[in-house]
Amino acid sequence: MDSWEKLKNDCRGCMGCSLGRTRHHLVFADGSESAELMFIGEGPGEQEDLQGLPFVGPAGKLLDQMLKMIDLDRSKVYIANTVKCRPPGNRDPLAIEQEACRGWLDRQIALVDPKIIVCLGRIAAMELIKEDFRITREHGQWFDIGGRRFMATYHPSALLRDPMKRPEAFMDLRELRKEIRAVCAHTYL
Ligand code: URA
C-alpha cells in the first residue's frame, strides 16, 4: 500500500528526466493532503524552483486571489503540477518529461483522492482530461474520469498576459463553486 511517507521518499531525489539536473528544488505540492478539491498546474517557474513550493510567483498570487473569490485558500485545497521540476526558461514541459513525472502525480491523486480536479491551463488539461483538449472551447466544462469530476480553466499566467480572458475564468470559478456545493458541501460550505 502506498503512503505519503513512501511517495515523498521515492520522489525526493528523482532523476527520471533531465530536468532533475537543472532544478534548485523539486516542487512536490502545497495544501491539504485530505482536500476534496485539487488544482493541477503545468510546472514550476523561477520562484517555485527557488522556494520549492508551487504557485508562489506572480501566477500564484493570482491563483490565491481566484481561490479567495470562491471562499477558499491553500489550506483547503491541494495544489500540484504535471512536472515537479522547472523546465529551463519556463518552456512547456516536453512529453517525455511529463511521462517521466506522471507516476508521481498519479500517486498524489490516489492518496489525496479528491472529488474534483481543476486543471490550470492547456498543458494540464491535455495531460489529464484528453490529448486534444482545446482550452478556449472547453474551459469550464465538466468531464467524468475514473470516478472524479474534472474541469479546466485558464492558467493564471494566461490571465496575467491577457486580462480580457478574466471574465471567462470568473465564470469557470462560479461553475466550480456550484460543483463544490453539490459534491463536497459538508467539507467546504
Ligand atoms: N505555473 C505553474 O503551472 N505551476 C507553478 O507551480 C507555477 C507557475
Side-chain angles (χ1 to χ4, degrees), residues 45-97:
E46 185 182 20
Q47 280 308 311
E48 291 77 18
D49 176 56
L50 291 173
Q51 297 182 45
L53 283 169
F55 285 99
V56 288
K61 302 277 171 288
L62 182 54
L63 178 61
D64 287 338
Q65 288 174 27
M66 290 162 73
L67 291 175
K68 203 165 172 206
M69 278 171 149
I70 49 171
D71 301 316
L72 291 176
D73 61 52
R74 279 173 192 248
S75 69
K76 299 195 182 100
V77 303
Y78 190 79
I79 304 173
N81 281 307
T82 63
V83 294
K84 310 256 172 286
C85 301
R86 183 189 184 203
N90 295 348
R91 63 161 170 74
D92 289 351
L94 305 174
I96 196 172
E97 294 159 354

Side-chain angles (χ1 to χ4, degrees), residues 4 8 29-39 73-80 108 111-114 187-188:
W4 283 112
K8 287 173 190 174
D30 196 13
S32 163
E33 290 172 354
S34 54
E36 293 191 88
L37 173 58
M38 181 163 174
F39 287 84
D73 61 52
R74 279 173 192 248
S75 69
K76 299 195 182 100
V77 303
Y78 190 79
I79 304 173
Q108 286 174 299
L111 284 169
V112 176
D113 194 20
T187 316
Y188 288 106

Side-chain angles (χ1 to χ4, degrees), residues 9-173:
N9 252 328
D10 292 348
C11 186
R12 187 167 294 138
C14 180
M15 281 292 174
C17 76
S18 61
L19 298 181
R21 292 203 296 269
T22 49
R23 70 174 175 236
H24 289 97
H25 289 99
L26 185 145
V27 177
F28 186 73
D30 196 13
S32 163
E33 290 172 354
S34 54
E36 293 191 88
L37 173 58
M38 181 163 174
F39 287 84
I40 301 177
E42 182 178 319
E46 185 182 20
Q47 280 308 311
E48 291 77 18
D49 176 56
L50 291 173
Q51 297 182 45
L53 283 169
F55 285 99
V56 288
K61 302 277 171 288
L62 182 54
L63 178 61
D64 287 338
Q65 288 174 27
M66 290 162 73
L67 291 175
K68 203 165 172 206
M69 278 171 149
I70 49 171
D71 301 316
L72 291 176
D73 61 52
R74 279 173 192 248
S75 69
K76 299 195 182 100
V77 303
Y78 190 79
I79 304 173
N81 281 307
T82 63
V83 294
K84 310 256 172 286
C85 301
R86 183 189 184 203
N90 295 348
R91 63 161 170 74
D92 289 351
L94 305 174
I96 196 172
E97 294 159 354
Q98 286 183 287
E99 265 164 44
C101 225
R102 180 66 195 249
W104 305 132
L105 183 60
D106 285 340
R107 286 171 66 184
Q108 286 174 299
I109 294 172
L111 284 169
V112 176
D113 194 20
K115 293 205 166 81
I116 300 174
I117 294 183
V118 177
C119 298
L120 296 168
R122 178 181 64 91
I123 299 281
M126 288 168 69
E127 173 75 16
L128 289 148
I129 299 178
K130 55 180 179 150
E131 228 175 287
D132 61 349
F133 194 92
R134 300 289 302 271
I135 194 80
T136 46
R137 275 198 223 140
E138 295 175 292
H139 70 91
Q141 293 180 21
W142 290 104
F143 297 82
D144 289 307
I145 305 166
R148 306 185 205 284
R149 303 283 280 157
F150 282 73
M151 178 220 264
T153 189
Y154 288 109
H155 193 288
S157 299
L159 301 175
L160 288 173
R161 278 194 306 271
D162 181 5
M164 299 279 279
K165 291 195 171 88
R166 288 190 189 198
E168 287 175 77
F170 184 64
M171 296 302 284
D172 296 345
L173 289 175

